[in-house]
Amino acid sequence: MAVTERTDADLLGQARAGDEAAFSELYLRHRPAALRLARSYGNRADAEDLVNGAFERVLAALRRGHG
């Protein structure tokens, strides 16, 4: 039996329902791309802060039932 990867939509729904592991999976899945984008805008030292702040805002929105 093959194990199927959960989709982003599935993970978002689970995260919205309070599943922190689902949000962690989304974070790990999308962090590299977010860092590449943040670094492309200039100050590489600030990229980590920008990405972490963005994910914090997404998590807060999900907890409010949005996203």
Side-chain angles (χ1 to χ4, degrees), residues 34-67:
L35 277 172
R36 281 192 302 276
L37 178 63
R39 288 176 180 144
S40 75
Y41 285 109
N43 189 340
R44 295 177 62 91
D46 291 337
E48 290 279 345
D49 289 338
L50 289 170
V51 169
N52 289 336
F55 277 101
E56 287 171 3
R57 288 188 296 278
V58 169
L59 180 57
L62 289 173
R63 287 180 173 162
R64 291 189 310 270
H66 304 289

Side-chain angles (χ1 to χ4, degrees), residues 18-38:
D19 184 344
E20 291 184 22
F23 186 78
S24 293
E25 189 172 335
L26 283 167
Y27 175 80
L28 292 173
R29 184 180 290 183
H30 294 285
R31 183 178 176 273
L35 277 172
R36 281 192 302 276
L37 178 63

Side-chain angles (χ1 to χ4, degrees), residues 5-22:
E5 185 174 292
R6 296 187 287 180
T7 67
D8 287 351
D10 291 337
L11 291 169
L12 281 170
Q14 293 166 0
R16 194 176 298 113
D19 184 344
E20 291 184 22

